[in-house]
Amino acid sequence: MGGVNVERTFMVLSLVLLLFTGFTCAQLRPNFYANICPDVENIVRRTVSTKFNQTFVTVPATIRLFFHDCFVSGCDASVIVASTAGNTAEKDHEDNLSLAGDGFDTVIKAKAAVDAVPTCKNKVSCADILALATRDVIVLAGGPSYPVELGRFDGLSSSAASVQGNLPQPTFSLDQLNSMFASRGLSQTDMIALSAAHSVGFSHCSRFTNRIYNFSGQNPVDPSLDPQYARQLQGMCPRNVDPRIAIDMDPTTPRIFDNAYFQNLVQGKGLFTSDQVLFTDSRSKNTVNTWASNSQAFNAAFITAITKLGRVGVKTGANGNIRFDCGSFN
């Protein structure tokens, strides 16, 4: 009888994951717009390149926007919607206030460029434009290129309340990371690969100062941190530092999307607890070691992971639409 219950529980969990991540995957395909807006990828790529040439912040801002969007209510561009008098949207939850404006601007400008083509106007979703822009900034930063599955519709709701408890925190343990990613159909391997987005970008000091000043009563500095790196962080983030100060997340190649992220972890130079735990926990350590020395293996795993991420919570015509303005509902 116990075996039957276990099997039934497994089937229920599988169905939940299917509904959240897989039910609408059939509509996604790289050539979705072939007969609708055939030049959409080139249009978005040109806009992203222009924005990239204006500021490198475009890269981490766009990647982070995509991640925050997909992890809350699925990849439906709901994170881009602005709050109104009657609704506080996702972007105004405290966990999203640090999303750089350049990510939003990239999507909005790409949407305008797409809609400037008469045959494409109001036919390409903001969610798809964000997915394409994410791939494009990764390539511009030296990361791998990959085919982007398309066919998402934009979400019909966006609320700050939906963000709570749905984004990984810098203090997370491996178990907490695995649990949150697994609930979205992503494996531990996917989670480790996606964590390498921290190869580019910035962090405010407040996100990690506990590791360099008050980690514990016996160890003010997190012992898993390389001592020299800890002193470097203290120099850049002194006590009572201006909360607007941000530093590079990758101390070695901060403007290149690469496997140096994993090499840094091996050396005790992961900025967040949730970064360094990938090396200190024996269950994930081998993967970190492998990717630290094999960029091709990492790139392949990352492509698999970000493709799976792009399938999370995809909306269809039944529960979504093509938003005319990415920042507001039709």
Side-chain angles (χ1 to χ4, degrees):
M1 196 63 146
V4 173
N5 287 334
V6 169
E7 184 175 348
R8 183 177 297 142
T9 300
F10 177 77
M11 288 177 66
V12 169
L13 287 172
S14 297
L15 282 169
V16 169
L17 278 176
L18 182 65
L19 286 170
F20 192 61
T21 64
F23 185 72
T24 56
C25 284
Q27 78 187 45
L28 297 181
R29 58 184 187 277
N31 63 346
F32 183 85
Y33 293 104
N35 299 316
I36 303 170
C37 181
D39 204 34
V40 63
E41 294 204 34
N42 288 326
I43 298 170
V44 172
R45 187 178 295 112
R46 285 193 294 268
T47 304
V48 172
S49 295
T50 298
K51 182 71 180 175
F52 172 79
N53 288 331
Q54 293 169 351
T55 174
F56 178 80
V57 178
T58 303
V59 176
T62 305
I63 297 172
R64 193 159 176 248
L65 190 66
F66 181 63
F67 186 91
H68 280 229
D69 183 48
C70 292
F71 254 58
V72 178
S73 304
C75 307
D76 62 357
S78 55
V79 73
I80 303 176
V81 173
S83 295
T84 63
N87 177 61
T88 304
E90 289 178 30
K91 67 182 296 185
D92 287 321
H93 184 277
E94 62 177 347
D95 283 351
N96 283 334
L97 293 178
S98 61
L99 290 172
D102 290 295
F104 295 92
D105 191 48
T106 298
V107 177
I108 290 168
K109 285 181 175 175
K111 171 71 168 172
V114 170
D115 282 352
V117 179
T119 54
C120 299
K121 187 174 177 63
N122 298 329
K123 293 179 181 177
V124 180
S125 70
C126 301
D128 277 345
I129 289 173
L130 175 54
L132 286 169
T134 300
R135 186 269 312 276
D136 293 342
V137 296
I138 288 170
V139 172
L140 286 168
S145 184
Y146 54 93
V148 177
E149 296 179 338
L150 301 168
R152 300 167 188 80
F153 281 75
D154 296 321
L156 303 178
S157 65
S158 178
S159 70
S162 66
V163 179
Q164 191 64 35
N166 281 310
L167 291 171
Q169 299 300 310
T171 56
F172 268 15
S173 66
L174 187 69
D175 285 335
Q176 288 173 308
L177 288 168
N178 279 337
S179 176
M180 182 165 283
F181 278 72
S183 67
R184 290 152 178 82
L186 300 164
S187 68
Q188 175 175 287
T189 301
D190 297 328
M191 178 272 292
I192 299 170
L194 291 169
S195 295
H198 290 174
S199 171
V200 290
F202 319 91
S203 171
H204 290 94
C205 296
S206 61
R207 303 293 280 176
F208 59 84
T209 48
N210 66 302
R211 298 188 70 206
I212 58 176
Y213 290 118
N214 55 354
F215 183 70
S216 69
Q218 292 183 324
N219 295 296
V221 177
D222 185 343
S224 69
L225 265 177
D226 172 75
Q228 184 177 348
Y229 183 49
R231 288 191 293 273
Q232 181 183 344
L233 292 175
Q234 289 172 337
M236 292 185 289
C237 295
R239 293 180 186 274
N240 302 315
V241 67
D242 185 328
R244 295 170 295 181
I245 296 296
I247 70 163
D248 291 327
M249 298 186 72
D250 181 339
T252 54
T253 59
R255 294 197 169 204
I256 303 174
F257 188 98
D258 58 13
N259 68 328
Y261 170 78
F262 300 105
Q263 296 167 4
N264 292 334
L265 298 186
V266 172
Q267 297 169 17
K269 296 179 181 178
L271 188 61
F272 296 155
T273 297
S274 57
D275 292 317
Q276 196 58 50
V277 73
L278 302 180
F279 182 72
T280 58
D281 195 303
S282 61
R283 293 170 294 174
S284 49
K285 185 174 185 176
N286 287 342
T287 302
V288 170
N289 279 326
T290 298
W291 292 345
S293 60
N294 190 330
S295 60
Q296 288 185 323
F298 159 61
N299 285 342
F302 180 81
I303 290 170
T304 296
I306 200 162
T307 300
K308 289 171 67 176
L309 175 63
R311 297 170 181 165
V312 173
V314 170
K315 305 301 186 290
T316 67
N319 60 354
N321 60 19
I322 305 297
R323 212 174 291 151
F324 303 150
D325 176 350
C326 294
S328 61
F329 298 118
N330 294 352

